[in-house]
Structure formats: C-alpha cells, structure tokens
Amino acid sequence: MLERDNVDPRRLVVMTYSNKAAGELSERIAKRRPDAAAAMWIGTFHAYGLNLVKQFHQALGFSREPRLIDRAEAIDLMLDRVAGLNLTHYRELYDPTDKLRDFLSAISRAQDEVVSADRYAELVEEMRALDHSSETQERVKRAREVAQVYKSYTDLKRALERIDFGDLVALPAELLTRNPTIAAQLREDIDHVLVDEYQDVNRASVQLLKAITNQGRNLWCVGDVRQSIYRFRGASSLNLARFDHGDFTGAMRDQLDTNYRSREEIVEAYSTFADGMTLAGATSVKLKAHRGRLGRPPEFRHIDGITENEIDGVADAIAELRAEGYSYRDQALLCRGNDRLAELGRGLEARGIPVLYLGSVFERPEVKDLLAWLSLLVDRRAMAMARDTGIPGMTLSLEDIGALSDALNDDALPPLAWLGSGVAGFSSDGIATIARYSALLDGFDARSAPWDVLAQLLLDRTRIAADICSSNDMAARAKGIAIWQFLNFVRAQPLSSGNAISRLLERIRRLVRLSDDRDLRHIPQAAQGIDAIRLMTMHGSKGLEFPAVHVTGMTKGSFPKRNPAPTCPPPDGMIKDAGGAGIDFAAREDEDELQCLFYVALSRAKDRLILYSPNKDTANRKRNPSDFIARMGKGVESRIVSATNYGIDNSDAPVAINLIGESTYWQHQLSVYERCPRRFFYTYVLNVGGKRVTSSFEDMHEVVRRVITELNAAETAIDLATARDVFDVHWNSSELASRQASTAYRVLADELVTRFALTRAEGTLEPGQSLRFKVGSATIRVNFDYSLVDGTGRKTLRYIQTGHHKKTVLTGNAAFAPLLAAQHAAPGYGAELLHLSDGIRVALSDHAGKAADKRAGIGKIVDAIAAGQFEPKPSNRSCPKCPAFFTCGTVPPGTAQKKF
DNA sequence: CAATCTGTTTTTTTT
DNA sequence: AAACAGATTG
C-alpha cells in the first residue's frame, strides 16, 4: 500500500525488534526497491533510540554523547557500590555477580515499563500501604532494596555519563513526552512509521511511537499475538490489545487469513494448537493454506532411548529427508535452549552431518588454544601449559607438566621466565616443545596488545590460519568463522593502557558467566549459503522459514517448562493494566509465552515438520511426550521410533595415574572432586592451579578466614578487643584495605569476626582438632575450628564457614566428612557447621543416619581418583570462575604421578 | 493410599 | 528451584 501511494522512502521509519529482523527486512526490501531500501531508516527500537540519545544528549542532561555499557560493565560499575548499600534482604553471597545480575534485570524491566527509580520506590510504598499480608510485606522489603539499588545505579550512570540498553528506549521516550517541541520537530521529518512484530513492543517503545507518530495516524503495524515470545523483556499481550483501544485511538485493525508459507497439513497442526491457546486478546482465525496439501503429515517421533538417542533419531530423519530431496541447507533444527543446541550441534557433527552453528565462541577449542596462549603472557604459573592443544609439537606430556609445575611452585618468577631457563627433569620432547613455545611467544609480554599477539600467532608463527584456509570441510570453516568472530571481539575492546591481556581474559570470564557472549554466535552472512543444517533456538527462528523443520526436546516437564519466578519481582502496579500482584501476572504471561514459542516453532515449516522426544531418562525411567503434542490434533502422525545406533561414545577416557603410597585427602579436595572431577585433576593432581578468580567479597571472606585461623591457634578464650586487634593487622596487610569502597567490606568483615569471637564464648572452649578417618586404604582429614563444652557437659566440634547457609550445604558426600571424622576420631563429640554470615548452625550429628551411605560415597570418590576418572562437569556458572577455565579440554598424553 | 524421599532434568535476550 | 517418575515409608 505504501509502495503504491508513492511514499518518499527518506521520510519512512521502519522499526523492528532485533538486528536480525532488521537485516532480513532490509534485504527483502532491497530485492524489490534497492534505492528505497538505502534511503529509508530500518533498524531496532534500540538503534533508533541511540540516535536520539546522541542527537539530544544535551537536552537529556549529558555534557557529551554518553557511552553505552553492556551488562558486564554495569556489574563492574556496581560491584563496589552494593557493598555500601547495606542490603539485608538480598544478602551478598560469596560472589555478588549473580545478585547484581538479578537486580539489573529487575531494573531493566522497570525501564521497559518507563518506571523511574523514584517511581519504583513510590510503587513499593503504595504496595506497602495497600496490602498488609505478611507475604506482601516481605515482597515490599525486597522491592524496597531493589529501588535502592535502582537509584544508586541511575545516579552512577548519570555521574559517569553512561547509558545502558534500557536507557536507549526509556530516555528518549521520556524526553519526547516531557518535551513536545522536540517531538514535533522530529515528526516533521517522518511521513510514516512501520512497526514489524508489534506484539513484541513494550511500554517504553509504545511511548516512543506515540511521540514520533501523529497519535498513530501515520503508524502501520504488523503483529501476531500468537508470536509474542519476548514477554520477559516487557512485551505484553496487553500492548497489542491496547493498540486500538487506548494507545492509538482510532487505529484500524485487519486480519490476514491466507498463509503463503506452509502446506495445509502443517497449517492444520498449528491452527489446531492455536485454537487451544489460552491467550488474552487472541481471536480465532481460520487460515487458508495457499500452497495446498503435500500428502505428508507432520510427525512426532518418540525416540526409544535417552536424550543422546534423540540425536540419533534426528540424524536418521535428516538423512531420510535428504534422500527425498531436502538438502542440508533446507533443514533447520530448533530447540529451546542454547546449551542443548550446542550438544545437538556436536552430536550431529559426530554423526557426519554438517551443521551451521558455532556455539559459544569462547568454548570452542581453537579459540581456547589462543586464549590459553594469551594467558601464558600474564600467568606466572603457566597453567595453560597443561592444555592439550591438538597441534603437533605444542603439547607437553603429563610427566613434563609435573616437572614444570614443580619448578614454578617454588619461585615467584615473572610470567614466561620458564621459557629461558632449563627445567629439571624434562624429557627431550618436552625440551623441544618448550623451545617451540619460546619461538611462539618471543618478544611478547604481559603488556602486549592482545590483537597484535593473536594476529602474529595465527598468521606468522603458526600454520593455524593457513591450514584453515586450505581446508574445505565444514569443521574447518566453522573454526575459521569462530576465530574470525573472536578476533573481531578482541579488536572491539576499548583501548586502554596497562595490562590489556588480563582485562580481556577477565572480561571473557564475565561474559560467559552472564551468557552475554551470544552475539558472537551469529554466523556471518557470507557463510549462510553453506550446505549445512541450520541450528537455532526457537526464539532465534522467529521470522524465518525452512522447507523442513526438526524440533527436539518435546518432553513433558521440559516443554512447556515454566521459567523460575524472577528473584526480584516487580512491585504491584508497575506493569500497566496488569491488575493484581505483579508476580501472578508474570506467571500467566509466562505460560502464554511458551505456547507462543511452540506456535512460532511449528509455523517455521513450509513442507515438513518433525518433532522429537526421548522416552527414557538415564535412570531408565520413562519420559512422556509434551502435552503440546496432543494439542496439535489428529493430523500429526505419532509413533515410537528406534533410531540407528551411530556408536557415538561420549564417555571420558580415564587418565593414566600413578598414586604413590597411601593417600590422604583433605575434605575440601573431595568437595572439589564432587563439583568437578576435571578441576580436581588440574588443581590437585597436576598441581597447576593458579589463583582462583576472586571478587572483593571473596577476598573479604579470605581475610576473615586468616583471622579465624590465627585465633584458633590460641589455646585460650579471646576477648572481643583482642579479636579486633588481630583483625586490624590482617585487614591492613590485605590488598582489600587499599581498594575503593573498602570500608563497606570492612564493616562486613568486622561483623563476621565479632560473631566468630562471640560463638567461641558459648561454652567452655577447647582447641580445634585435626581429625582423620579411613575409607579403604585412604585417609580423609578434617580440620575443626574449635570445640565447646556446654553447661550440661555436652561436647560439640565446630566447623566454621564464613558465608551464608545454603540449602544445598548437605548435598553430596564430602560435606559429611566432618561428621564421619567426629564419629571415628572424637567419640563423645557432636559435630556442627556454623555459618558466620547468618549465624545458622547445622547439627551434623542429626544426620548420623546417613553416615554409612556417605562413607560409601566418599569411598567411590577415592576409588575414582585412583582409577584416573576426571571427567569435566561444565557449567556456565562455575567454569568462568575456575582457574582452569582457559586450560580445560582434552587431557595431555602421559602418566600423571602424584603423592596425596 | 498419601506423604516423603531420590534422582533426573531443565529458559528465552534488545547496541 | 521446581516438575516429574518412581521407590519407599507410614
């Protein structure tokens, strides 16, 4: 219509909700009207907002164009601030990064609703006055602290002249509402505004639209409530419902009734599903399938086996369809989450099927090799030398790694010092390898610029780039793309003086922790033509179409699966028109969103649609299909399928290990093994563990731990004043004392030390004991901090933990070592865990019934260590904090020797 | 039979 | 953390 009416493309604004959508749209228009595509403005709300912020930065109160920060930077900014806010209901945990992330997403939601920090605080007080139930009052207390953080964060951004993603839309929306002159001035340059995927707009975007359009009279929107899948970022069914009843009074609505994409069988399936959708504002639509019937129904394949067999089933189907004429590039594989997608990608590749998917760039071996090498320039312990690079001549044997780690243990040498001097006990191969590393890293040091180092390593000093270029298979191309993306990322880092390498590595850890490395996963346009299966999340598939679509993970309990309620729920009334408690609304919206997500996935298919789920879990219990399967109606062919066994073995080969003599393990070593056996291997077997990555909070706890150790060494009771003196000495000699905002940490540390001193006085004090017990031929050691005799003569050993009590504290086996040690070596004593941060005590003696099981569990750990079983347990949460983050991968060849 | 415990599985993201 | 399947317990 706009085309026909001769609209001036220069006066046309087209808004989308993602860069991908903007790119697609731009390309489609360029095909028909290349001149127009170049002239009109096409982009995301955020991009449009950024332009406005730049243009009107003075009106917005900035002295210059503010710098945009991402989530990782925002957390960096706030880390020291939260310590000073004295929050009680959201206590700082060991690492406040997680808490801050929760705060920031709550703040971001508020920005989506154009609710300022002050307004947020008002809403909290309104909620307090309205509902006196204890449940609500509890939420009030928490929301009040969010308001505090919100205010502090906003002030900080103002002071530093920074803006975040939320500001990109919220600030212009506010400005234009407040300042009609600017809005009018903007409107003069715009004839029409087009909004694609209107169901994804949030309040901030609507407000922006209201300001730049003439009360909606020149606004054109396309939207489908059934495809509203971005509710977690403020898109709400209410916005579409309100489109012509409130937001843009007098707007017109029309409905599409013909589908030009999918075959009739597929349209039937998702229409049937849509009829059962419980969705506010959805009207029933009878879609006509323009392309008619194909004669092949959508399928549900209930794969006989576990999750791994589901990949076999998909591989079979991909091969079948290929034989029928659907090339790899015609087929897409969708699932809910990125983690599963990565597994599917690896699995299909292992089964010989090419996939167009990178996964997380920083977790790819070829990128990890580069990161490991970079880390050598700043890591005096040279931990990365324990990595198997897979590049001939560039990997040390386990024996040589042992020798190197011995050599680096004693001296406080600077990084790379080991390259020059010979290392005692090295094999001749090892000496040759070290020589190659000397050549590889020659001339670089901790102050080198990461990009320069990487470029030289790739192009001049190794054959990595050359090998990738000369190879033509899909795996090599994916490697090339991953390295390319990584280099682009490195180059985009802000230039700064000092140690850029350390900061780069630190930033990567944080990005992975926050899962904010996703935009690096995009496959460049140039690679899109490759004949390989397209892998993407259901969210990522929106707006795309494929001749054949495979959807995995259709198990009950995993799809649909309610998202956990936000840690920091919004105050009631923050979401306009939601009515009732904010959390209930969120839960309803969540259910809707999952139905929409399924609808989106189904409607991507043009000809063929196959859904999958495994029918067993690893404990051989049955897993039922998702309830959604039945809701697609009778047109779906549903059957149990036995997939081909591709003989893929994902098990981790044991490491050759030689344990000298009888072993003695500390309890904390067993805990590490339980959390991640591979980490245990690096830290205690190879002994290459460098310093753990710590936050200020953790450093603070470390100081407290040192104070406790010193106080424990004293045989007599210690008064508070002495305890404080000891604390002063340790605090002042710690690195923390000189850090910014250290007073806040000091207050916390002081509380912990005080509590420790007080708990020692709860009875007659006896000194701590180092107890041991045997499991098989191994000995387990546990250090108790002290023991107390109370008035009735009952004796209790205390085991102090400086942090908060967690419900999971008694999961696993190693946690019971104190109980077992007390039972065995200190008869007549009870054993108790005491958490200093909250004073919570756990009487281990109450769990004596589990002792036998736990002892057996510890026996299994000990045996597994002796058998060289060190499989990695990857997790986005813990891996980025692990010292071996850049090292972890295949274990190098050789035999590890170790005396525990 | 209901209640409780155990083990397994599981989320999305805008420059 | 919370849902699910199944076993165990009272």
Side-chain angles (χ1 to χ4, degrees):
Chain A
M1 194 186 300
L2 289 171
E3 214 167 273
R4 196 180 53 212
D5 288 350
N6 232 351
V7 170
D8 182 354
R10 283 167 305 179
R11 299 175 56 80
L12 186 60
V13 171
V14 184
M15 303 271 215
T16 64
Y17 230 85
S18 69
N19 285 315
K20 198 159 133 194
E24 292 268 327
L25 204 57
S26 184
E27 216 168 286
R28 254 181 264 172
I29 296 171
K31 264 184 198 157
R32 296 172 62 172
R33 297 269 309 271
D35 53 321
M40 63 181 73
W41 192 93
I42 302 182
T44 62
F45 278 94
H46 291 85
Y48 192 80
L50 181 59
N51 286 344
L52 293 183
V53 170
K54 283 181 176 165
Q55 195 180 342
F56 298 110
H57 66 267
Q58 276 167 336
L60 284 163
F62 295 104
S63 69
R64 56 198 146 99
E65 288 185 6
R67 195 163 77 74
L68 179 64
I69 57 171
D70 64 16
R71 220 157 44 139
E73 290 171 278
I75 286 178
D76 255 348
L77 289 182
M78 286 299 288
L79 268 178
D80 286 333
R81 279 230 162 182
V82 274
L85 288 179
N86 204 7
L87 307 177
T88 53
H89 291 84
Y90 291 108
R91 290 303 301 254
E92 330 69 28
L93 295 172
Y94 240 61
D95 187 334
T97 298
D98 291 325
K99 274 279 164 305
L100 272 172
R101 182 185 45 197
D102 295 340
F103 280 125
L104 287 172
S105 40
I107 291 168
S108 168
R109 273 299 280 120
Q111 289 174 313
D112 290 342
E113 299 294 327
V114 213
V115 167
S116 67
D118 292 336
R119 179 68 189 133
Y120 199 97
E122 279 172 31
L123 285 165
V124 175
E125 294 315 311
E126 282 169 21
M127 181 160 90
R128 187 184 59 82
L130 267 168
D131 181 351
H132 296 285
S133 71
S134 62
E135 201 186 313
T136 302
Q137 292 304 317
E138 180 59 29
R139 280 202 290 131
V140 165
K141 285 177 195 156
R142 289 174 183 271
R144 203 181 262 159
E145 297 196 336
V146 177
Q148 241 182 302
V149 176
Y150 192 177
K151 180 100 178 78
S152 169
Y153 176 57
T154 310
D155 293 346
L156 189 60
K157 277 188 299 182
R158 275 279 156 199
L160 298 172
E161 308 224 302
R162 304 285 153 89
I163 50 169
D164 62 15
F165 293 132
D167 291 328
L168 289 181
V169 185
L171 288 181
E174 239 175 339
L175 174 72
L176 297 182
T177 313
R178 201 178 56 224
N179 195 331
T181 326
I182 296 182
Q185 181 194 328
L186 270 178
R187 282 198 298 269
E188 274 174 24
D189 295 330
I190 302 170
D191 282 344
H192 296 280
V193 177
L194 264 74
V195 181
D196 190 26
E197 313 270 13
Y198 187 83
Q199 74 278 1
D200 290 331
V201 301
N202 54 34
R203 288 319 293 165
S205 328
V206 170
Q207 195 170 322
L208 188 63
L209 281 178
K210 277 183 175 176
I212 63 168
T213 65
N214 217 337
Q215 295 311 307
R217 252 167 284 161
N218 52 347
L219 173 66
W220 302 79
C221 299
V222 182
D224 180 357
V225 233
R226 290 172 198 81
Q227 299 194 34
S228 172
I229 57 172
Y230 286 106
R231 293 167 193 238
F232 57 85
R233 66 181 204 216
S236 161
S237 55
L238 299 172
N239 287 324
L240 201 58
R242 244 187 326 239
F243 176 64
D244 48 0
H245 298 284
D247 283 339
F248 301 104
T249 315
M252 300 284 287
R253 227 179 236 262
D254 204 357
Q255 211 151 48
L256 295 175
D257 54 7
T258 306
N259 182 292
Y260 295 94
R261 175 185 295 149
S262 308
R263 291 289 184 173
E264 198 171 329
E265 292 93 335
I266 291 169
V267 172
E268 271 170 14
Y270 61 74
S271 295
T272 308
F273 179 79
D275 287 342
M277 274 165 89
T278 54
L279 202 56
T283 46
S284 178
V285 189
K286 198 79 213 141
L287 279 176
K288 227 168 39 205
H290 183 255
R291 294 183 60 223
R293 297 192 87 80
L294 178 71
R296 297 297 298 265
E299 291 177 60
F300 169 61
R301 299 190 178 188
H302 204 189
I303 306 295
D304 186 30
I306 59 169
T307 313
E308 184 68 17
N309 300 113
E310 189 186 32
I311 308 183
D312 294 331
V314 176
D316 282 350
I318 288 171
E320 278 169 41
L321 290 186
R322 190 150 185 261
E324 291 176 32
Y326 297 95
S327 65
Y328 288 133
R329 74 161 69 79
D330 287 340
Q331 303 187 45
L333 173 55
L334 312 182
C335 77
R336 182 89 204 277
N338 280 299
D339 290 348
R340 178 67 186 143
L341 206 55
E343 279 170 37
L344 288 163
R346 280 192 296 268
L348 289 179
E349 258 176 0
R351 287 160 181 79
I353 295 171
V355 294
L356 199 61
Y357 179 72
L358 286 184
S360 173
V361 165
F362 302 122
E363 279 156 46
R364 294 186 59 96
E366 61 276 7
V367 173
K368 265 194 159 179
D369 285 341
L370 297 173
L371 288 169
W373 287 344
L374 271 184
S375 80
L376 289 173
L377 300 177
V378 293
D379 172 19
R380 62 186 81 248
R381 298 286 306 272
M383 190 173 189
M385 290 307 290
R387 179 172 170 78
D388 184 347
T389 57
I391 298 168
M394 297 307 280
T395 303
L396 290 176
S397 68
L398 290 178
E399 288 86 347
D400 288 335
I401 291 167
L404 179 61
S405 120
D406 288 346
L408 294 178
N409 245 341
D410 303 333
D411 301 315
L413 295 166
L416 300 184
W418 49 276
L419 278 178
S421 59
V423 172
F426 255 52
S427 68
S428 56
D429 277 356
I431 292 168
T433 302
I434 296 289
R436 283 186 210 105
Y437 271 90
S438 290
L440 184 78
L441 301 174
D442 181 45
F444 298 136
D445 61 33
R447 292 174 314 255
S448 301
W451 204 86
D452 295 344
V453 176
L454 292 169
Q456 287 217 40
L457 290 184
L458 284 165
L459 298 169
D460 299 338
R461 301 194 184 186
T462 67
R463 295 203 33 85
I464 296 175
D467 287 346
I468 287 171
C469 289
S470 63
S471 177
N472 234 343
D473 66 330
M474 190 56 220
R477 294 170 88 163
K479 266 189 197 179
I481 295 169
I483 289 176
W484 172 252
Q485 298 284 67
F486 173 54
L487 288 180
N488 277 334
F489 164 79
V490 172
R491 202 172 41 183
Q493 297 309 299
L495 280 174
S496 50
S497 57
N499 193 329
I501 294 175
S502 295
R503 244 172 306 119
L504 175 72
L505 297 177
E506 187 47 42
R507 186 163 151 76
I508 288 171
R509 285 176 187 268
R510 179 150 288 154
L511 285 174
V512 174
R513 183 98 183 283
L514 297 168
S515 305
D516 270 359
D517 52 336
R518 290 209 189 95
D519 46 341
L520 294 171
R521 297 178 185 193
H522 286 300
I523 305 276
Q525 201 61 41
Q528 296 289 353
I530 295 173
D531 188 28
I533 302 288
R534 267 105 248 266
L535 259 67
M536 61 197 79
T537 60
M538 294 182 187
H539 276 89
S541 73
K542 189 154 97 155
L544 307 177
E545 57 179 35
F546 309 94
V549 169
H550 308 264
V551 186
T552 64
M554 297 310 301
T555 28
K556 189 176 200 149
S558 49
F559 198 91
K561 180 171 186 346
R562 279 270 304 279
N563 298 329
T567 324
C568 309
D572 297 349
M574 184 181 98
I575 296 154
K576 193 171 184 288
D577 292 349
I583 39 173
D584 297 339
F585 178 75
R588 268 200 318 276
E589 288 277 285
D590 228 53
E591 259 165 55
D592 287 351
E593 171 161 336
L594 285 164
Q595 297 179 42
C596 291
L597 194 57
F598 191 56
Y599 182 88
V600 166
L602 299 182
S603 56
R604 297 311 95 201
K606 293 169 77 171
D607 295 341
R608 302 294 296 276
L609 172 65
I610 311 181
L611 303 112
Y612 309 80
S613 92
N615 71 355
K616 289 192 181 69
D617 72 3
T618 49
N620 212 31
R621 291 175 302 204
K622 80 171 177 200
R623 301 188 71 190
N624 290 319
S626 160
D627 295 337
F628 282 1
I629 297 296
R631 285 171 57 180
M632 289 186 292
K634 302 274 181 238
V636 176
E637 180 191 291
S638 180
R639 63 197 162 98
I640 292 179
V641 173
S642 290
T644 306
N645 181 359
Y646 288 78
I648 304 297
D649 183 13
N650 284 331
S651 64
D652 201 67
V655 177
I657 184 170
N658 178 17
L659 291 184
I660 300 161
E662 293 201 341
S663 298
T664 301
Y665 300 103
W666 287 98
Q667 181 215 355
H668 68 263
Q669 293 180 316
L670 300 180
S671 300
V672 169
Y673 186 92
E674 278 192 314
R675 283 200 296 270
C676 176
R678 183 62 61 81
R679 179 172 181 168
F680 175 93
F681 176 72
Y682 288 122
T683 309
Y684 299 117
V685 179
L686 292 187
N687 217 10
V688 292
K691 189 175 174 291
R692 204 165 48 95
V693 178
T694 55
S695 63
S696 296
F697 276 83
E698 287 166 309
D699 296 341
M700 182 273 286
H701 280 278
E702 187 52 42
V703 173
V704 173
R705 184 30 85 180
R706 283 203 289 272
V707 175
I708 289 175
T709 306
E710 183 170 336
L711 294 180
N712 278 336
E715 304 259 323
T716 53
I718 285 172
D719 62 75
L720 215 52
T722 318
R724 286 233 166 92
D725 288 344
V726 174
F727 170 58
D728 276 344
V729 173
H730 281 279
W731 182 264
N732 291 330
S733 65
S734 78
E735 196 202 335
L736 261 178
S738 60
R739 221 175 284 175
Q740 249 194 337
S742 68
T743 37
Y745 295 117
R746 200 194 153 108
V747 170
L748 287 170
D750 185 63
E751 266 175 43
L752 301 187
V753 170
T754 305
R755 185 169 283 134
F756 175 74
L758 290 176
T759 59
R760 276 166 64 101
E762 289 169 344
T764 311
L765 190 76
E766 290 179 2
Q769 303 182 42
S770 183
L771 304 181
R772 48 186 79 203
F773 64 102
K774 288 212 110 179
V775 175
S777 64
T779 304
I780 313 298
R781 292 187 65 177
V782 179
N783 274 351
F784 283 95
D785 290 88
Y786 59 85
S787 52
L788 283 180
V789 186
D790 68 10
T792 64
R794 202 177 53 190
K795 299 188 284 191
T796 307
L797 285 155
R798 274 212 179 133
Y799 188 97
I800 306 290
Q801 308 211 300
T802 56
H804 284 84
H805 174 71
K806 276 184 263 175
K807 277 178 198 157
T808 53
V809 81
L810 286 187
T811 54
N813 299 294
F816 287 82
L819 172 68
L820 295 164
Q823 284 180 336
H824 181 264
Y829 281 80
E832 188 176 79
L833 294 182
L834 174 63
H835 302 270
L836 282 187
S837 292
D838 48 21
I840 290 178
R841 296 128 204 260
V842 181
L844 283 168
S845 315
D846 291 349
H847 298 85
K850 294 179 187 164
D853 273 0
K854 299 300 174 179
R855 192 191 180 90
I858 290 174
K860 277 188 190 148
I861 297 175
V862 167
D863 291 345
I865 293 169
Q869 288 166 15
F870 301 113
E871 75 279 7
K873 274 194 196 169
S875 132
N876 275 348
R877 208 163 299 146
S878 51
C879 288
K881 298 193 73 186
C882 178
F885 182 54
F886 298 118
T887 307
C888 198
T890 320
V891 175
T895 303
Q897 186 149 280
K898 174 71 184 177
K899 167 85 188 93
F900 274 105

